[in-house]
Amino acid sequence: EIQQRDNSSATIANRASTVVLSSKDAESDFQKFFPEASHKTKVLSFKTSPSSIWYEGNPQHIQEKYYLPKRFFLISNQFWQHKNHLLVFKALKLLQEKSIYPAIVCTGHIHDHRQPDFSDTILQTIQKSGISQQIYLLGLIPKFDQVQLMRRSLAVIQPSLFEGWSTLVEDARCLGKRIILSDLPVNIEQNPPNCIFFERNSPDALASLLADWWENLSPGADLEQEAIAKTNSKLEVKAFGYRFLEIAKGS
């Protein structure tokens, strides 16, 4: 699979007149591996164009649909090793020693065909760490439900060790939602409002942030922040469109 991906990227580098990448971070990687094609790159960072029904749903009803507690953090990532769920579990274990018990709701497919045993590692770690009462694994759920859980959550956690330009981050941006982000260069580049970064290999750093926000944040949509984010989102999507046209005309 790695070889197939390398071949595909090399073909693009060789044959395309313009190579469009979603971030400066990805552009830097492309130019590193294909320096002879570095003059071809353009950056076009996508934006979420939210549906109006996202803002009209009832987050509490969706929380109750899945029998979730009123207060929780949300992680919406597939259970792949680089998504770094295990570090979150370590942070929860550290907080247990201080009698702090945040709830974490996880959406996303738990199976990875590249590492079929990793789902067992996830489940065993939850059980052995004694945090099973704090973790809610929902699997794949409808997008509307996921968005409403994001609105209902205290905040979103994105702990990844590797990412592209993140759809999850863009969704949180247009909902005005707080988000805890690992300190990946691409996350720092994306830099949504209401975010805070943590050192991606430090469960202590994440535990400290979780403890603070668990104590001080309230569940549910912040309607004022949502209104601001909704207005900004329209401007950002429009700017994306103009950037696309600029690239297309220049090709």
Side-chain angles (χ1 to χ4, degrees):
E1 183 174 342
I2 292 170
Q3 187 62 55
Q4 188 177 40
R5 290 182 181 220
D6 286 347
N7 291 342
S8 176
S9 296
T11 299
I12 291 170
N14 290 332
R15 297 184 182 179
S17 59
T18 302
V19 179
V20 182
L21 300 129
S22 61
S23 67
K24 293 179 180 178
D25 186 54
E27 181 183 48
S28 176
D29 284 343
F30 181 89
Q31 292 176 348
K32 173 185 174 182
F33 289 108
F34 305 106
E36 71 284 355
S38 61
H39 62 286
K40 298 181 179 182
T41 60
K42 303 287 184 181
V43 174
L44 178 65
S45 301
F46 62 80
K47 300 294 179 182
T48 294
S49 181
S51 169
S52 60
I53 64 171
W54 284 15
Y55 303 95
E56 298 166 4
N58 188 320
Q60 186 173 343
H61 286 175
I62 304 302
Q63 169 223 316
E64 293 169 352
K65 172 183 175 180
Y66 292 98
Y67 303 97
L68 301 175
K70 293 181 179 179
R71 303 177 74 249
F72 60 87
F73 293 102
L74 179 69
I75 301 176
S76 288
N77 279 335
Q78 311 288 33
F79 281 84
W80 300 338
Q81 186 169 337
H82 69 272
K83 297 296 186 178
N84 212 17
H85 290 82
L86 295 180
L87 181 128
V88 180
F89 301 159
K90 289 178 182 178
L92 292 183
K93 185 64 176 177
L94 290 173
L95 291 176
Q96 279 191 348
E97 297 169 4
K98 300 178 181 179
S99 300
I100 301 172
Y101 304 96
I104 308 286
V105 174
C106 301
T107 69
H109 203 300
I110 196 168
H111 180 72
D112 183 357
H113 71 277
R114 297 163 299 187
Q115 291 180 299
D117 296 331
F118 189 64
S119 57
D120 290 338
T121 300
I122 289 287
L123 297 175
Q124 290 170 10
T125 301
I126 291 172
Q127 188 65 33
K128 290 178 180 178
S129 298
I131 57 173
S132 58
Q133 298 301 311
Q134 298 169 248
I135 303 292
Y136 297 80
L137 304 179
L138 303 188
L140 293 175
I141 64 174
K143 179 68 175 183
F144 177 80
D145 290 5
Q146 182 215 9
V147 168
Q148 297 311 310
L149 291 181
M150 189 179 295
R151 296 177 72 209
R152 181 63 176 170
S153 70
L154 300 178
V156 177
I157 307 171
Q158 208 274 49
S160 291
L161 297 171
F162 183 84
E163 283 291 337
W165 194 263
S166 172
T167 303
L168 175 68
V169 172
E170 290 305 319
D171 289 352
R173 182 199 300 274
C174 70
L175 293 171
K177 201 66 195 179
R178 291 179 180 268
I179 183 166
I180 299 174
L181 284 168
S182 63
D183 61 348
L184 290 173
V186 71
N187 285 342
I188 294 171
E189 179 184 345
Q190 200 162 359
N191 193 30
N194 306 311
C195 77
I196 191 165
F197 298 100
F198 75 96
E199 202 285 300
R200 58 188 177 275
N201 292 305
S202 172
D204 293 276
L206 178 59
S208 177
L209 292 175
L210 291 177
D212 182 30
W213 283 15
W214 180 250
E215 180 178 350
N216 293 305
L217 296 185
S218 300
D222 184 327
L223 299 182
E224 181 179 351
Q225 286 298 318
E226 278 196 349
I228 294 170
K230 187 176 181 181
T231 298
N232 289 340
S233 178
K234 292 178 181 178
L235 299 175
E236 290 160 357
V237 169
K238 187 175 181 179
F240 167 87
Y242 280 123
R243 175 59 178 159
F244 173 83
L245 292 175
E246 178 185 318
I247 293 172
K249 290 176 180 177
S251 298

